[in-house]
C-alpha cells in the first residue's frame, strides 16, 4: 500500500485491505516520524515505574500484576495522545477504538507476536504494539484478525493468536523504533552504583549529571533520583542545585524547554535536549572564530575534550526567566518574595 520502508521493517508485503490502509494512513499523517507514539511508550513505562515515589526504573522491578497492566495503560495513553486520530466506539460495541470509521482493538504483548485475540475482535482490525525498555525499542502496526490470519487453536476463553501468516500481514507503522532513553537502565553497573550511592536526592542528581555527559536525560530520570515533589529544583543554578555545583567543574547543563538553551547545545555540536530533558557536558574557553563555539558571559566556549584541563568555571546559561512586572509604588518586597526571586 505504501513505498515507505522503515529501518528494520520486515520485507513482506501484506495483502490488500483498504480499511486497514485507511487506519494506517491516519496514523502516518498524524505522526510521520513516530515521535508522538514513542513518547507514549516511554511515558507508560515511567508511569508504571513511578520512580519519583519508588526509585524504580527497570521492568524487572515491577510486580507481575503491574506488568500485566502495561497494555491497559498504553491503550488509554494512546487514546489521549491521538485524540485527533482515535474516536470512542459507540456504546455497546466491544472494541477499544474507532479510527477512520472502523472498529479497532488495541493489543499489547510483552513478547513479540504474543498478542491474545478475544472472539469479539475476530474479523476486525487490530492495533498491535510491543516494546522492550531494556533494548530501548518499540513497534506498532495494524492487522486484521481474519480467519486466515488467526491460529486454529484457542484457549478455554476462546482467545487465540495471530498465525505465522497473520504476523506477516501486519502493516507496520514503526518497527523496532527507538524509545526515548531510559538513562539509568543503560548505565554501566559501576557508574550506576556511584550515581545511586548518595543518600541525598540532590547529590544523586548531581552525580548523574557529572557521570553521564552528552546524553539526553529526561525529567523522569531526575524525579527517580531526587524522589521529591520539586525534583526539577535539583537542577537550579541557585547556590544549591546541580548547575551551581557542576559549573565550578566546567559543566554546562542546558534544558530542552528553552530555545535559548537548545541553541547553546546546537552551536556546540552537542546532542540537543528535547522538551522535558537536559544534557550535561564540559566546556573550555575557545578562540572567537573556533568552529562549534558559542559566546556566553562575554567569552567564547567550545566542548571540552578528554585531555582538556578545566581551568575556570563554565559560564552561566542564558537567562530564561520572564521579566517581572515592576512592583507598585510604595510596595515592600517581603522576605518570601526575595527568596522566590533568588530561586527563579
Amino acid at each position: 500500500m505504501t513505498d515507505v520502508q522503515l529501518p528494520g521493517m520486515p520485507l513482506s508485503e501484506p495483502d490488500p485491505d483498504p480499511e486497514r490502509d485507511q487506519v494506517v494512513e491516519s496514523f502516518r499523517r498524524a505522526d510521520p516520524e513516530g515521535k508522538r507514539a514513542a513518547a507514549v511508550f516511554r511515558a507508560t513505562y515511567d508511569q508504571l515505574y513511578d520512580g519519583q515515589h519508588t526509585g524504580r526504573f527497570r521492568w524487572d522491578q515491577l510486580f507481575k500484576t503491574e506488568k500485566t497492566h502495561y497494555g491497559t495503560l498504553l491503550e488509554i495513553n494512546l487514546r489521549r495522545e491521538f485524540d485527533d486520530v482515535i474516536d470512542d466506539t459507540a456504546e455497546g460495541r466491544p472494541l477499544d477504538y474507532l479510527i477512520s470509521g472502523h472498529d479497532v482493538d488495541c493489543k499489547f504483548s510483552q513478547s513479540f507476536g504474543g498478542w491474545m485475540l478475544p472472539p469479539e475482535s475476530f474479523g476486525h482490525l487490530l492495533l498491535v504494539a510491543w516494546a522492550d525498555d531494556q533494548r530501548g525499542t518499540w513497534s506498532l502496526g495494524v492487522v486484521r484478525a481474519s480467519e486466515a490470519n488467526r491460529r486454529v487453536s484457542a484457549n478455554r476463553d476462546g482467545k487465540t493468536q495471530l498465525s505465522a501468516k497473520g504476523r506477516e500481514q501486519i502493516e507496520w507503522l514503526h518497527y523496532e523504533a527507538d524509545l526515548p532513553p531510559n538513562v539509568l537502565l543503560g548505565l554501566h553497573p559501576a557508574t550506576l552504583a556511584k550515581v545511586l550511592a548518595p543518600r541525598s536526592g540532590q547529590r544523586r542528581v548531581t552525580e548523574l549529571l557529572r557521570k553521564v555527559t552528552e546524553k539526553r536525560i529526561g525529567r523522569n530520570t531526575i524525579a527517580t533520583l531526587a524522589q521529591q515533589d520539586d525534583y526539577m529544583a535539583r537542577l537550579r543554578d541557585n547556590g544549591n542545585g546541580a548547575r551551581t555545583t557542576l559549573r565550578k567543574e566546567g559543566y554546562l547543563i542546558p534544558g530542552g524547554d528553552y530555545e535559548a538553551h537548545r541553541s547553546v547545545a546546537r552551536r556546540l555540536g552537542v546532542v540537543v535536549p528535547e522538551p522535558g530533558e537536559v544534557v550535561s557536558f564540559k566546556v573550555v574557553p575557545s578562540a572567537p572564530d573556533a568552529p562549534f563555539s558559542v559566546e556566553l558571559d562575554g567569552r567564547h566556549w567550545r566542548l571540552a575534550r578528554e585531555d582538556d584541563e578545566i581551568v575556570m568555571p563554565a559560564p552561566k546559561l542564558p537567562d530564561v526567566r520572564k521579566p517581572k512586572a515592576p512592583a507598585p509604588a510604595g510596595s515592600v518586597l517581603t522576605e518570601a518574595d526575595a527568596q522566590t526571586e533568588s530561586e527563579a
Side-chain angles (χ1 to χ4, degrees):
M1 63 153 287
T2 177
D3 293 331
V4 175
Q5 184 63 42
L6 301 170
M9 181 183 285
L11 296 177
S12 59
E13 180 70 23
D15 296 335
D17 187 330
E19 293 183 356
R20 179 202 62 209
D21 295 351
Q22 291 173 16
V23 170
V24 167
E25 288 304 318
S26 293
F27 273 106
R28 287 202 173 132
R29 283 195 302 269
D31 190 26
E33 296 180 354
K35 289 185 176 181
R36 292 171 64 184
V40 171
F41 280 96
R42 173 78 273 143
T44 305
Y45 276 116
D46 293 343
Q47 188 176 353
L48 273 181
Y49 297 151
D50 190 20
Q52 180 182 344
H53 300 105
T54 68
R56 301 180 304 185
F57 57 90
R58 298 196 314 266
W59 183 257
D60 61 11
Q61 293 172 318
L62 299 176
F63 295 111
K64 182 178 179 180
T65 51
E66 291 177 306
K67 293 178 180 178
T68 59
H69 195 42
Y70 186 96
T72 301
L73 288 176
L74 182 70
E75 173 199 325
I76 294 169
N77 292 338
L78 285 171
R79 173 67 183 89
R80 289 173 175 168
E81 171 61 31
F82 288 96
D83 60 355
D84 53 336
V85 174
I86 302 171
D87 294 314
D88 295 326
T89 56
E91 186 174 353
R93 299 173 80 165
L95 304 189
D96 298 318
Y97 303 148
L98 189 66
I99 304 175
S100 300
H102 309 300
D103 288 316
V104 179
D105 217 18
C106 182
K107 293 298 173 189
F108 174 82
S109 175
Q110 297 174 32
S111 59
F112 191 85
W115 306 286
M116 296 303 297
L117 317 181
E120 59 267 24
S121 72
F122 293 176
H124 293 287
L125 293 171
L126 308 172
L127 182 68
V128 292
W130 169 85
D132 186 329
D133 203 16
Q134 182 68 49
R135 292 178 54 197
T137 189
W138 61 277
S139 298
L140 192 68
V142 184
V143 66
R144 187 174 295 280
S146 63
E147 184 175 357
N149 291 342
R150 303 192 309 264
R151 288 183 177 178
V152 176
S153 59
N155 63 19
R156 285 183 294 181
D157 296 326
K159 293 182 179 180
T160 188
Q161 295 178 305
L162 292 174
S163 61
K165 173 181 170 58
R167 292 193 295 273
E168 293 177 353
Q169 293 301 308
I170 299 171
E171 180 71 36
W172 291 106
L173 296 163
H174 296 277
Y175 182 78
E176 294 196 351
D178 291 336
L179 272 172
N182 181 341
V183 173
L184 296 177
L185 194 60
L187 292 183
H188 186 279
T191 302
L192 179 62
K194 291 180 180 179
V195 170
L196 298 179
R199 297 183 62 182
S200 159
Q202 177 64 74
R203 291 178 60 195
R204 288 192 294 267
V205 171
T206 301
E207 188 64 15
L208 174 76
L209 295 168
R210 180 182 285 121
K211 296 293 185 186
V212 180
T213 57
E214 300 181 49
K215 292 184 179 181
R216 293 158 48 202
I217 298 174
R219 185 186 304 270
N220 190 72
T221 300
I222 303 299
T224 299
L225 295 176
Q227 293 188 249
Q228 296 169 272
D229 288 340
D230 61 343
Y231 53 89
M232 292 304 284
R234 303 310 103 202
L235 298 174
R236 286 178 180 163
D237 196 351
N238 63 351
N240 300 313
R243 285 191 174 109
T244 300
T245 300
L246 294 177
R247 190 157 49 80
K248 300 171 186 176
E249 302 174 23
Y251 290 86
L252 270 184
I253 308 171
D257 291 326
Y258 311 108
E259 175 54 33
H261 286 199
R262 292 195 297 271
S263 177
V264 169
R266 201 176 293 119
R267 288 171 179 268
L268 290 170
V270 182
V271 60
V272 179
E274 297 286 334
E277 299 175 344
V278 297
V279 172
S280 175
F281 50 85
K282 286 184 178 181
V283 293
V284 294
S286 76
D289 58 349
F292 294 107
S293 63
V294 65
E295 184 177 1
L296 295 170
D297 282 357
R299 183 187 293 269
H300 284 79
W301 304 82
R302 63 168 173 81
L303 187 66
R305 294 184 286 265
E306 286 189 15
D307 57 348
D308 281 328
E309 182 181 359
I310 303 302
V311 296
M312 65 174 58
K316 284 198 170 187
L317 287 160
D319 191 348
V320 293
R321 294 174 298 178
K322 293 181 180 179
K324 294 181 179 292
S331 64
V332 178
L333 183 67
T334 66
E335 184 176 346
D337 292 334
Q339 179 69 13
T340 300
E341 287 195 357
S342 70
E343 294 183 355

